[in-house]
Amino acid sequence: MAGKALVVGTSGIVGSATTALLLSEGWTVHGLARRPEAGAGILPVAADLQDAAGTAAALRDVRPEAVFIATWARQATEAENIRVNAGMVRNLLDGLRPAGTVRHVALVTGLKHYLGPFEAYGKGKLPQTPFREEQGRLDIENFYYAQEDEVFAAATRDGFAWSVHRPHTIIGKAVGNAMNMGTTLAAYAVLCRETGRPFRFPGSAAQWNGLTDMTDARLLARQLLWATETPAAANQAFNVVDGDVFRWSWMWGRIADWFGLEPAPFDGTVRPLEEQMAGDAPVWRRIAERENLAEPDLARMASPWHTDADLGRPIEVVTDMSKSRKLGFTAYQASDEAFFDLFARLRADRLIP
């Protein structure tokens, strides 16, 4: 059922994986970003979604049937997150309205739907795990809710179907991404190997000992396309994770072994990566110059703050996938292999030695 798609945030972790899948399935893909790259088969659309008039002008000749929204702009406060990110979704859908071609909009949010925004992350009264879609919204302001409301309002106005997708931490490749645990851990491992520092788990005992899950960007892309092409999935929200569960006490050793490191024993002390990697930019630049790496700027490779937020959580987080499973979405991905696939790709693309 290939058609014409618009991927919003095509240069990010989710957007790039979604674009690759759509192209492989024969779709015509317009890729929107502030500075889009004209990759093989991608029709670039340059737009700043905070600029309503500019967005409308950029979309004038784009007539997609399916729209995949996989972007956000991090702000200093949640109030600003709500104002800016809801406005971006509104400007996008307003810009697409005149063409009248959109039949499905898929919005990617995440488990902060259940955990709360970064300002109140994992605090207060939280739903029982595993998180299920019917648990609904927390009684707290959250830019995910504001984005959803913009999609719901436009769908009611313009007559398209929608789906909302809530991944856990996403494993995938994108340089310069604000939330990128896999590449952050790869950079950290390389730095530990280079300097001889211990490869220490930076998070909490709850994360070390408790169960968790993750989401491969490629699997998320498959769910986005599935929801777009499956009538029974219309106008619903779905959790999306790989399908396995693990403890970081196991996964940390798996990652260490891939990089030829011995994992340091965990003594329960939280050692945030933001502190551990604070002075590593010059070291990374030296490694990049010596190994002829493609990205010498550590700030574009790693986002320690986000990895710290996930690995420092004081609660166990696991996600229920029953809703989409019952409707026929059966994709599965082993999370350790998702990490290994990412590391191999980073090495092949000369992003890590």
Side-chain angles (χ1 to χ4, degrees), residues 70-82:
T71 190
W72 72 295
R74 186 186 181 200
Q75 306 298 312
T77 65
E78 192 60 19
E80 278 297 289
N81 274 330
I82 290 168

Side-chain angles (χ1 to χ4, degrees), residues 317-339:
V317 176
V318 287
T319 314
D320 182 73
M321 279 278 287
S322 298
K323 187 176 181 181
S324 60
R325 297 286 190 238
K326 289 176 182 177
L327 292 174
F329 181 74
T330 58
Y332 167 84
Q333 170 65 55
S335 293
D336 59 339
E337 293 176 4
F339 273 120

Side-chain angles (χ1 to χ4, degrees), residues 120-134:
Y121 198 48
K123 299 174 183 176
K125 184 174 176 57
L126 298 172
Q128 186 180 38
T129 58
F131 294 141
R132 292 181 168 86
E133 296 90 345
E134 64 268 20

Side-chain angles (χ1 to χ4, degrees), residues 105-129:
V105 172
L107 172 68
V108 178
T109 61
L111 293 196
K112 287 189 292 297
H113 181 93
Y114 309 106
L115 288 162
F118 286 119
E119 289 181 3
Y121 198 48
K123 299 174 183 176
K125 184 174 176 57
L126 298 172
Q128 186 180 38
T129 58

Side-chain angles (χ1 to χ4, degrees), residues 83-116:
R83 182 186 68 81
V84 170
N85 289 285
M88 289 165 60
V89 174
R90 183 168 59 252
N91 292 341
L92 170 73
L93 298 178
D94 284 351
L96 291 169
R97 185 183 189 190
T101 59
V102 176
R103 61 174 179 80
H104 190 101
V105 172
L107 172 68
V108 178
T109 61
L111 293 196
K112 287 189 292 297
H113 181 93
Y114 309 106
L115 288 162

Side-chain angles (χ1 to χ4, degrees), residues 250-274:
W250 173 80
M251 184 67 81
W252 198 249
R254 298 282 287 160
I255 293 173
D257 184 65
W258 198 94
F259 286 96
L261 295 168
E262 188 69 30
F266 179 65
D267 63 5
T269 304
V270 176
R271 294 179 173 87
L273 287 181
E274 202 158 26

Side-chain angles (χ1 to χ4, degrees), residues 7-10 12 14-15 18 68-72 106-108 224:
V7 178
V8 183
T10 188
V14 178
T18 303
F68 302 91
I69 305 175
T71 190
W72 72 295
L107 172 68
V108 178
L224 291 168

